[in-house]
Amino acid sequence: MALSAAGAAAGLLAAVLLPLGVRWLVAADALTCLVAAAVAVTFLPRELGGGGGRRQRAGAGGRWRPPAALMRLTVAGTAFAVGSLAVMMYLPLALLERGAPAWLPGLALAGAAVLAPVALWPSRRLLAGRSHAVILGVGTVLLGVLALIMAVTASPAVTIGAYLACTVLNTVLLGRWQSAVADAAPEADRPRWFAFQGSSWGVAQPAVPPLAALAGTAAGAVGAGAFLAAGVAFLMVPFMLRRIAA
C-alpha cells in the first residue's frame, strides 16, 4: 500500500515536471533519494540485533551455498524483475516516442499505482488454492504477450491499456515470489533464501538499460526495444520454474 501511494504521488509529480523538462524530473528523483536516506538514518535502529550470533553460526557451519532450487528461483526472479523494470522504466520514453503529450506518462504511472491495490482484492479469492508455480508461469506468459504488444504498437492508447493490464498482473504476481520462497525453503534457512532471491532485483536493475539499448537497435526505438526485451524475459520465466515444486 505504501508503494502504491508513493507510485501515485510520483506519477502525478512526473505529469507536472515532464512538460518542464526531464532535468526537473531527475532533480526531483535525486531529492527524494536524499530525503529517503535522511529518513532511514533518523528512524531506523542503529543495530538490528543478532548480527554477531548469525555470523558465528555461519562460520561454525562452514560456508553456505545456495541449493539448486534457490538458484532456479533466483534466476527466474531475475528474468521477472528484468521484464517488470523494463516496462516500468521505459513506459514514459515509449509514450513520448509515440507522440503522446508530455503530461500523459505521469498520469499513466499514477493511474497504474492507484489500480494496483484494487486488483489484489478479487485476485485473492479467484486464485485461492492454486499453486504458486502455476500462477507465476501463466502470469508471466500473459505479461510477455502484453509486453510484446507494447513493443509492436505505435498507439499511445494501446500502450497505456497494455501497461495497466501489466500492472494488474504484476501486483498479483509480486507476492507469489516470496510465497514460493517460503514454501521451498527449510524453516531455519528462510532468511538466507529471502535475501538471496531478493538480490534478483539488484541484478536486474543495471541490466535493463543495456538490454533496452541492444533491443532498440532491432526494434527501431529504445522504448520498443525495452518492451521487446521485457517480453522475452517474461516468457523465459515458466521454463525456469518448471522444476520448482509449488
Side-chain angles (χ1 to χ4, degrees):
M1 293 297 292
L3 288 174
S4 297
L12 294 175
L13 187 63
V16 173
L17 294 180
L18 269 178
L20 302 178
V22 176
R23 291 182 179 181
W24 287 98
L25 193 61
V26 175
D29 188 15
L31 179 61
T32 53
C33 287
L34 293 173
V35 171
V39 169
V41 170
T42 303
F43 293 102
L44 289 182
R46 301 288 182 179
E47 297 291 339
L48 298 180
R54 284 195 297 271
R55 286 192 295 269
Q56 184 176 2
R57 287 194 298 272
R63 185 176 181 181
W64 181 79
R65 296 179 182 276
L70 177 56
M71 289 297 297
R72 288 193 293 270
L73 270 170
T74 304
V75 172
T78 302
F80 176 81
V82 166
S84 298
L85 290 172
V87 169
M88 180 182 67
M89 290 167 61
Y90 284 88
L91 174 75
L93 176 61
L95 288 175
L96 296 177
E97 288 176 341
R98 293 165 188 184
W103 49 265
L104 186 58
L107 288 187
L109 293 173
V114 172
L115 182 63
V118 177
L120 281 177
W121 296 335
S123 67
R124 288 175 180 172
R125 181 173 296 180
L126 180 65
L127 301 177
R130 302 185 184 276
S131 71
H132 304 313
V134 170
I135 293 173
L136 287 170
V138 174
T140 48
V141 168
L142 294 176
L143 282 171
V145 172
L146 288 169
L148 293 178
I149 290 173
M150 295 171 72
V152 300
T153 186
S155 167
V158 174
T159 303
I160 292 175
Y163 174 70
L164 293 178
C166 284
T167 298
V168 171
L169 288 169
N170 258 313
T171 303
V172 173
L173 297 183
L174 274 175
R176 291 282 170 171
W177 289 102
Q178 285 75 26
S179 299
V181 171
D183 286 351
E187 186 173 355
D189 274 348
R190 279 181 182 171
R192 288 175 174 172
W193 280 54
F194 279 121
F196 190 89
Q197 199 276 338
S199 66
S200 58
W201 291 86
V203 173
Q205 189 164 9
V208 167
L211 288 175
L214 289 173
T217 60
V222 176
F227 296 149
L228 177 61
V232 173
F234 282 134
L235 293 175
M236 291 171 60
V237 173
F239 297 100
M240 300 171 182
L241 290 174
R242 67 183 184 275
R243 293 184 179 179
I244 298 174

